[in-house]
Amino acid sequence: MSEHLADDLLSTTAGGWKSFYNLLSRRLEDAGVADSSFFLNYGYASLGTNDESAFTIRPGTFNANSVRLVFEVIGSVDLNDRTVAEIGCGRGGNSALVAEKFNAEVIGIDMSSEAIAFCSKTHVKRPIDFRVGDALNIPLSDASCDAIINVESSHSYGNLPKFLGEVRRICRPAGWFLHTDFLSPEDWDQVRMRLKRSGFVTESDRDITANVLASRDQASDTWAEVYGDRNARVANFLSLPGSAIYEQMRAGLLEYRILRSQLRAEAA
């Protein structure tokens, strides 16, 4: 399975990611853990300061750090009575959380047809519109969303400017772009510049690398057994301690950040 990933995770092509995630969905089914693997993000562990989640997570919550990351990127933004699109919805956990916590119309979009099939049959407690789609050509009409959520996905797109242009296209005036990922400092500069140019005002720009590394320190390498490939590429995908991605974050070559940005109300 890992042959679809480049040794340098950030060099993996869009086609490689698509093949990897389709195979991953099947692997999780075969391993019997599909119904408990709603989240693939690295998670957020509180270090006692600067937390922004408006929700308390119950003790014993499964995948608590991954749940916390979603709440941290949303912060205090009120998504009630809003149309919310998650781009790169993966296994659907993030979209399901939004549908659970808010009275919102939720749309989940992912390039993996296998992941979308899983989401459509699994997340049925609340209505969520799951669709196969490309982040560089989002299958939504102009100015159709009040919030766009993107969690640990944009690093795989290969064309950040085009993705940000699509975010701007589907966002309504006064709508929100809730973005968290690991990118190089130079890529984050590009994101900031393009958001500003297209009419967004960034309300929060927070480096959470230390929180994410703390979460990965708590991660179990038994996940590598589930993935079936106990090698460097899978360790990298999971950002296990000692992997290249983990060490690049620790060294500051990659920054895991939250950017919460609002499109100006007068933007046309």
Side-chain angles (χ1 to χ4, degrees):
M1 183 172 71
S2 65
E3 65 270 13
H4 296 287
L5 300 178
D7 290 328
D8 173 8
L9 205 62
L10 300 183
S11 298
T12 301
T13 65
W17 280 115
K18 184 175 183 179
S19 297
F20 175 81
Y21 280 117
N22 278 334
L23 284 170
L24 175 58
S25 284
R26 293 173 218 156
R27 179 68 60 80
L28 294 173
E29 291 278 0
D30 292 343
V33 296
D35 290 343
S36 61
S37 56
F38 295 162
F39 300 94
L40 296 176
N41 72 59
Y42 293 163
Y44 176 104
S46 175
L47 299 177
T49 58
N50 300 320
D51 298 334
E52 295 183 311
S53 170
F55 298 100
T56 300
I57 299 174
R58 291 189 304 272
T61 297
F62 192 60
N63 285 327
N65 288 349
S66 292
V67 171
R68 181 62 179 268
L69 179 63
V70 181
F71 291 157
E72 289 292 327
V73 72
I74 295 171
S76 60
V77 175
D78 184 0
L79 299 178
N80 284 302
D81 303 315
R82 300 288 187 260
T83 298
V84 181
E86 184 191 5
I87 312 303
C89 66
R91 309 283 294 170
N94 306 339
S95 292
L97 275 179
V98 173
E100 176 187 341
K101 293 295 185 181
F102 298 96
N103 177 31
E105 177 187 353
V106 182
I107 305 165
I109 295 173
D110 200 272
M111 64 179 174
S112 169
S113 57
E114 300 270 353
I116 291 298
F118 169 80
C119 290
S120 296
K121 74 179 183 182
T122 303
H123 299 293
V124 295
K125 285 179 66 177
R126 292 170 179 82
I128 303 172
D129 181 2
F130 287 109
R131 309 180 188 181
V132 177
D134 184 350
L136 304 185
N137 188 21
I138 298 172
L140 294 171
S141 57
D142 296 357
S144 58
C145 300
D146 300 296
I148 297 98
I149 298 176
N150 189 242
V151 176
E152 201 177 294
S153 184
S154 63
H155 65 270
S156 68
Y157 296 161
N159 191 334
L160 272 173
K162 191 165 192 319
F163 167 59
L164 295 172
E166 282 290 274
V167 168
R168 171 63 181 85
R169 180 183 66 78
I170 67 172
C171 191
R172 291 175 179 148
W176 290 90
F177 178 39
L178 308 174
H179 183 203
T180 188
D181 203 355
F182 58 92
L183 298 170
S184 69
E186 295 76 19
D187 278 343
W188 279 122
D189 284 342
Q190 182 181 116
V191 169
R192 293 184 189 97
M193 176 190 71
R194 291 193 173 270
L195 288 176
K196 185 176 181 179
R197 279 185 182 174
S198 60
F200 283 91
V201 175
T202 297
E203 177 262 341
S204 178
D205 182 350
R206 183 159 65 110
D207 187 337
I208 62 166
T209 307
N211 304 86
V212 172
L213 290 175
S215 174
R216 299 327 290 158
D217 289 339
Q218 299 170 16
S220 169
D221 65 2
T222 56
W223 270 108
E225 298 174 11
V226 172
Y227 284 69
D229 299 298
R230 294 184 64 84
N231 61 33
R233 289 178 178 177
V234 168
N236 217 16
F237 172 71
L238 298 169
S239 190
L240 298 177
S243 67
I245 291 291
Y246 180 98
E247 294 301 329
Q248 287 175 59
M249 285 196 287
R250 196 161 67 95
L253 300 175
L254 294 173
E255 296 174 354
Y256 206 122
R257 305 191 76 88
I258 289 174
L259 262 65
R260 192 180 304 114
S261 307
Q262 187 174 29
L263 187 61
R264 289 196 302 267
E266 67 274 16

